[in-house]
């Protein structure tokens, strides 16, 4: 698949990959989690391409997208997404994100409600309300490097049993994580520490499917319950024996949720 680089409004270039084709369903855009890149979605995207066009991309500061200096803001990431949608001349899209990607999806829907037909919100939150722990993680990245954080990350990402059975998936995720510049990872941590869009949830009227791992302690089930209460047209699914990265632990289940969402918004 060919990677396309698209210039967004502030001049940064965002790398993306479009696959599949559009039928009755709107295109779907998948936004990866912190420290990952567009390949995070490969297992899920491969199950969706027969239904609609699927766009995956590297958020700024990640993968092969540009990595500007300075602070990052979720609203900026949402504008990047809007510019990608505009580039492809799509009137409206379904946006799904995991963890950080879910935050971006929510921010996009709040800023561009007419351009969001539906939301997939996986292992995510409307606000962490924890700037100090995020600042601590940012400083660790800056002072000790991402290598020092691998054990911390992998035990949050995956259950013990999954790490034992699927070492290839874990190793690939770690390799993508370590390819990030510590500077960009740290600024994205600070971005998430400052993120809170809880106030906007009642305004979001599009259908949403919320999924969280039962053992997720990065964005616990209670955070998804808050989303579910705040989003009038949402459903909530808790996956047993799953932690923080359900699209990697259970791609079939996540793809099925997205297929159901696409049916809902295409009616």
């Amino acid at each position: 698949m060919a990677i396309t680089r698209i210039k967004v409004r502030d001049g940064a270039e965002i790398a993306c990959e479009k696959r599949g084709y559009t039928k009755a369903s709107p295109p779907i855009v998948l936004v990866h989690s912190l420290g990952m890149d567009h390949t995070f979605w490969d297992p899920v995207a491969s199950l969706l391409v027969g239904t609609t066009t699927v766009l995956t991309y590297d958020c700024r500061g990640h993968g092969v997208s540009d990595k500007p200096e300075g602070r990052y803001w979720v609203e900026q990431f949402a504008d990047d997404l809007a510019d990608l949608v505009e580039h492809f001349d799509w009137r409206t899209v379904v946006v799904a994100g995991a963890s950080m990607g879910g935050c971006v999806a929510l921010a996009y829907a709040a800023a561009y409600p007419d351009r969001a037909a539906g939301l997939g919100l996986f292992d995510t939150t409307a606000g962490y309300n924890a700037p100090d722990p995020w600042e601590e993680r940012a400083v660790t990245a800056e002072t000790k490097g991402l290598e020092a954080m691998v054990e911390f990350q992998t035990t949050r990402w995956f259950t013990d049993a999954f790490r034992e059975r699927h070492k290839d998936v874990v190793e690939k995720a770690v390799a993508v994580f370590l390819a990030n510049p510590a500077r960009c990872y740290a600024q994205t941590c600070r971005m998430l520490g400052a993120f809170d869009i809880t106030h906007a949830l009642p305004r979001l009227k599009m259908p949403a499917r919320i999924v969280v791992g039962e053992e997720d302690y990065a964005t616990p089930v209670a955070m998804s319950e808050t989303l579910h209460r705040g989003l009038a047209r949402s459903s909530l699914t808790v996956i047993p024996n799953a932690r923080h990265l359900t699209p990697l632990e259970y791609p079939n289940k996540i793809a099925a949720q997205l297929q159901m969402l696409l049916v809902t918004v295409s009616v």
Side-chain angles (χ1 to χ4, degrees):
M1 297 291 180
I3 300 297
T4 303
R5 294 179 64 84
I6 295 169
K7 185 172 289 190
V8 296
R9 65 190 68 179
D10 71 346
E13 290 192 349
I14 303 297
C16 63
E17 180 180 354
K18 186 176 74 158
R19 62 189 108 173
Y21 59 95
T22 302
K23 288 172 60 179
S25 300
I28 185 165
V29 184
L30 303 174
V31 193
H32 62 77
S33 65
L34 173 64
M36 296 292 101
D37 66 10
H38 75 283
T39 63
F40 173 86
W41 287 107
D42 284 352
V44 172
S46 66
L47 299 170
L48 297 174
V49 291
T51 303
T52 190
T53 301
V54 180
L55 183 73
T56 56
Y57 69 100
D58 296 345
C59 291
R60 65 171 60 217
H62 294 72
V64 295
S65 287
D66 283 353
K67 301 170 177 64
E69 300 283 347
R71 287 297 300 264
Y72 293 162
W73 304 99
V74 173
E75 294 79 6
Q76 182 185 47
F77 280 47
D79 288 343
D80 291 343
L81 173 51
D83 290 350
L84 295 180
V85 172
E86 183 70 23
H87 172 84
F88 289 106
D89 199 27
W90 292 330
R91 184 179 64 82
T92 186
V93 295
V94 169
V95 182
S99 191
M100 177 191 81
C103 300
V104 175
L106 284 166
Y108 173 83
Y112 305 93
D114 294 338
R115 310 294 296 274
L119 293 172
L121 303 170
F122 308 131
D123 322 301
T124 193
T125 181
Y128 286 96
N129 297 312
D132 291 345
W134 281 105
E135 177 63 25
E136 183 179 333
R137 196 190 302 190
V139 171
T140 298
E142 290 170 333
T143 57
K144 298 182 180 178
L146 298 187
E147 293 82 358
M149 307 178 73
V150 168
E151 184 176 358
F152 167 82
Q153 293 290 165
T154 54
T155 54
R156 290 163 74 87
W157 290 341
F158 307 115
T159 60
D160 299 347
F162 186 91
R163 295 200 312 277
E164 183 61 33
R165 291 196 311 268
H166 299 281
K167 294 184 187 300
D168 57 328
V169 177
V170 178
E171 288 171 0
K172 181 181 177 183
V174 168
V176 172
F177 174 72
L178 292 177
N180 286 283
R183 166 183 64 83
C184 296
Y185 178 83
Q187 293 298 359
T188 312
C189 286
R190 294 185 175 104
M191 174 186 89
L192 294 173
F195 172 71
D196 187 354
I197 206 165
T198 310
H199 64 281
L201 296 182
R203 293 193 286 107
L204 304 184
K205 305 301 185 184
M206 64 287 293
R209 300 195 79 89
I210 304 164
V211 180
V212 64
E214 185 179 38
E215 299 179 27
D216 187 350
Y217 54 88
T219 51
V221 172
M223 288 183 170
S224 286
E225 291 171 342
T226 298
L227 282 172
H228 184 39
R229 287 193 299 269
L231 296 170
R233 297 180 64 192
S234 66
S235 66
L236 172 60
T237 300
V238 180
I239 301 180
N241 305 310
R243 283 194 186 157
H244 188 50
L245 298 186
T246 57
L248 290 180
E249 284 198 310
Y250 291 96
N252 289 349
K253 291 181 184 291
I254 297 303
Q257 290 284 332
L258 291 171
Q259 293 278 16
M260 288 185 282
L261 180 59
L262 285 167
V263 169
T264 301
V265 302
S266 297
V267 171

